Amino acid sequence: LGRAQDVLRNQFTNLGFVAVYLDGCGGMTGPMIEMIESLLCTTCASTAKPLLPPCFAIGFTLTKSEPTGRDLIDRVQDITRVIMKEATSLGYDMKHVGDDP
């Protein structure tokens, strides 16, 4: 879809949505995955669908440093896969928008 600022400016101008931003300043994927699962509530004890808007955006940051030394791109893919799995299980479509120049 393009860079985030271009998509927000052009393709999302007539679309109302909610956004969350998750910061993984420690670089590890585990805490970020737990945040995503909590947000989408697919692992909650309740069988009720979480109260989520029809359209939402999830942004996140991971730092290059990480205790195990895993590559940043591999960790980003881990997070993206979890978002895809959890969101599609709730009936959402996922669009990936990158913001790297």
Short mmCIF file of all heavy atoms in Angstrom, two decimals, residues 20-24 32 36 58-62 75-77 79-80 83 96 99:
data_model
loop_
_atom_site.label_atom_id
_atom_site.label_comp_id
_atom_site.label_asym_id
_atom_site.label_seq_id
_atom_site.Cartn_x
_atom_site.Cartn_y
_atom_site.Cartn_z
N VAL A 20 -3.72 1.78 17.67
CA VAL A 20 -2.93 1.56 18.88
C VAL A 20 -1.47 1.48 18.46
O VAL A 20 -1.15 1.06 17.35
CB VAL A 20 -3.33 0.28 19.65
CG1 VAL A 20 -4.73 0.38 20.17
CG2 VAL A 20 -3.16 -0.95 18.80
N TYR A 21 -0.60 1.90 19.35
CA TYR A 21 0.82 1.85 19.07
C TYR A 21 1.51 1.12 20.23
O TYR A 21 1.37 1.50 21.38
CB TYR A 21 1.40 3.26 18.92
CG TYR A 21 2.83 3.23 18.46
CD1 TYR A 21 3.14 3.07 17.12
CD2 TYR A 21 3.87 3.33 19.38
CE1 TYR A 21 4.44 3.01 16.69
CE2 TYR A 21 5.19 3.27 18.96
CZ TYR A 21 5.47 3.12 17.61
OH TYR A 21 6.77 3.05 17.20
N LEU A 22 2.23 0.07 19.91
CA LEU A 22 2.90 -0.75 20.91
C LEU A 22 4.40 -0.55 20.78
O LEU A 22 4.96 -0.63 19.68
CB LEU A 22 2.54 -2.22 20.71
CG LEU A 22 1.03 -2.53 20.68
CD1 LEU A 22 0.79 -3.98 20.30
CD2 LEU A 22 0.38 -2.19 22.00
N ASP A 23 5.05 -0.30 21.90
CA ASP A 23 6.48 -0.02 21.88
C ASP A 23 7.24 -1.17 22.52
O ASP A 23 7.09 -1.44 23.71
CB ASP A 23 6.75 1.28 22.64
CG ASP A 23 8.19 1.74 22.50
OD1 ASP A 23 8.94 1.15 21.71
OD2 ASP A 23 8.55 2.70 23.19
N GLY A 24 8.04 -1.84 21.72
CA GLY A 24 8.86 -2.93 22.23
C GLY A 24 10.30 -2.49 22.37
O GLY A 24 11.18 -2.99 21.67
N MET A 32 5.60 -8.21 23.25
CA MET A 32 4.79 -7.62 22.18
C MET A 32 3.67 -8.58 21.77
O MET A 32 2.52 -8.16 21.57
CB MET A 32 5.68 -7.30 20.98
CG MET A 32 4.98 -6.59 19.87
SD MET A 32 4.69 -4.84 20.19
CE MET A 32 6.35 -4.24 20.26
N ILE A 36 -0.43 -7.98 21.92
CA ILE A 36 -1.33 -8.16 20.78
C ILE A 36 -2.45 -9.14 21.13
O ILE A 36 -3.62 -8.89 20.84
CB ILE A 36 -0.54 -8.64 19.54
CG1 ILE A 36 0.38 -7.52 19.07
CG2 ILE A 36 -1.48 -9.09 18.42
CD1 ILE A 36 1.46 -7.96 18.13
N ILE A 58 -2.73 -1.26 13.99
CA ILE A 58 -1.77 -1.59 15.04
C ILE A 58 -0.39 -1.17 14.54
O ILE A 58 0.06 -1.63 13.49
CB ILE A 58 -1.74 -3.09 15.37
CG1 ILE A 58 -3.10 -3.56 15.87
CG2 ILE A 58 -0.65 -3.40 16.39
CD1 ILE A 58 -3.19 -5.06 16.09
N GLY A 59 0.24 -0.29 15.28
CA GLY A 59 1.61 0.10 14.97
C GLY A 59 2.52 -0.42 16.06
O GLY A 59 2.11 -0.58 17.21
N PHE A 60 3.77 -0.70 15.71
CA PHE A 60 4.69 -1.17 16.74
C PHE A 60 6.12 -0.83 16.37
O PHE A 60 6.44 -0.60 15.21
CB PHE A 60 4.54 -2.69 16.98
CG PHE A 60 4.92 -3.56 15.82
CD1 PHE A 60 6.22 -4.03 15.70
CD2 PHE A 60 3.99 -3.91 14.87
CE1 PHE A 60 6.58 -4.85 14.63
CE2 PHE A 60 4.33 -4.73 13.81
CZ PHE A 60 5.62 -5.20 13.69
N THR A 61 6.94 -0.80 17.40
CA THR A 61 8.38 -0.56 17.24
C THR A 61 9.14 -1.63 17.98
O THR A 61 8.80 -1.98 19.12
CB THR A 61 8.77 0.82 17.83
OG1 THR A 61 8.09 1.83 17.13
CG2 THR A 61 10.26 1.05 17.73
N LEU A 62 10.16 -2.14 17.34
CA LEU A 62 11.14 -3.02 17.99
C LEU A 62 12.51 -2.41 17.78
O LEU A 62 12.78 -1.86 16.71
CB LEU A 62 11.12 -4.42 17.36
CG LEU A 62 9.91 -5.29 17.64
CD1 LEU A 62 10.00 -6.57 16.80
CD2 LEU A 62 9.83 -5.65 19.10
N ARG A 75 12.26 -10.75 13.77
CA ARG A 75 11.37 -10.41 14.89
C ARG A 75 10.15 -9.64 14.41
O ARG A 75 9.03 -9.87 14.89
CB ARG A 75 12.14 -9.64 15.96
CG ARG A 75 13.19 -10.54 16.63
CD ARG A 75 14.00 -9.84 17.70
NE ARG A 75 14.98 -8.96 17.09
CZ ARG A 75 15.11 -7.67 17.36
NH1 ARG A 75 14.35 -7.09 18.26
NH2 ARG A 75 16.02 -6.95 16.76
N VAL A 76 10.33 -8.74 13.44
CA VAL A 76 9.20 -8.01 12.87
C VAL A 76 8.23 -9.00 12.21
O VAL A 76 7.01 -8.89 12.35
CB VAL A 76 9.68 -6.93 11.86
CG1 VAL A 76 8.53 -6.39 11.04
CG2 VAL A 76 10.39 -5.81 12.60
N GLN A 77 8.77 -9.98 11.50
CA GLN A 77 7.92 -11.00 10.88
C GLN A 77 7.16 -11.81 11.93
O GLN A 77 6.00 -12.17 11.71
CB GLN A 77 8.76 -11.92 9.99
CG GLN A 77 9.18 -11.27 8.70
CD GLN A 77 7.99 -10.85 7.86
OE1 GLN A 77 7.04 -11.60 7.68
NE2 GLN A 77 8.03 -9.63 7.37
N ILE A 79 6.05 -10.74 14.79
CA ILE A 79 4.94 -9.88 15.23
C ILE A 79 3.87 -9.81 14.16
O ILE A 79 2.67 -9.93 14.44
CB ILE A 79 5.46 -8.46 15.58
CG1 ILE A 79 6.51 -8.52 16.69
CG2 ILE A 79 4.31 -7.54 15.94
CD1 ILE A 79 6.05 -9.11 17.98
N THR A 80 4.27 -9.61 12.92
CA THR A 80 3.31 -9.50 11.82
C THR A 80 2.49 -10.79 11.68
O THR A 80 1.28 -10.74 11.47
CB THR A 80 4.05 -9.19 10.50
OG1 THR A 80 4.78 -7.97 10.69
CG2 THR A 80 3.09 -9.01 9.35
N ILE A 83 -0.14 -10.88 14.47
CA ILE A 83 -1.25 -9.96 14.17
C ILE A 83 -2.16 -10.58 13.12
O ILE A 83 -3.38 -10.58 13.26
CB ILE A 83 -0.72 -8.59 13.71
CG1 ILE A 83 0.00 -7.88 14.85
CG2 ILE A 83 -1.88 -7.72 13.19
CD1 ILE A 83 0.74 -6.62 14.44
N HIS A 96 -0.75 -4.54 5.25
CA HIS A 96 0.53 -4.13 5.82
C HIS A 96 0.98 -2.83 5.18
O HIS A 96 1.05 -2.73 3.97
CB HIS A 96 1.57 -5.22 5.59
CG HIS A 96 2.88 -4.91 6.24
ND1 HIS A 96 3.95 -4.42 5.55
CD2 HIS A 96 3.28 -4.99 7.53
CE1 HIS A 96 4.96 -4.24 6.39
NE2 HIS A 96 4.56 -4.58 7.59
N ASP A 99 6.47 2.03 6.96
CA ASP A 99 6.79 3.45 7.08
C ASP A 99 8.27 3.72 6.93
O ASP A 99 8.74 4.81 7.18
CB ASP A 99 6.27 4.04 8.38
CG ASP A 99 6.91 3.42 9.62
OD1 ASP A 99 7.71 2.49 9.47
OD2 ASP A 99 6.62 3.89 10.72
#
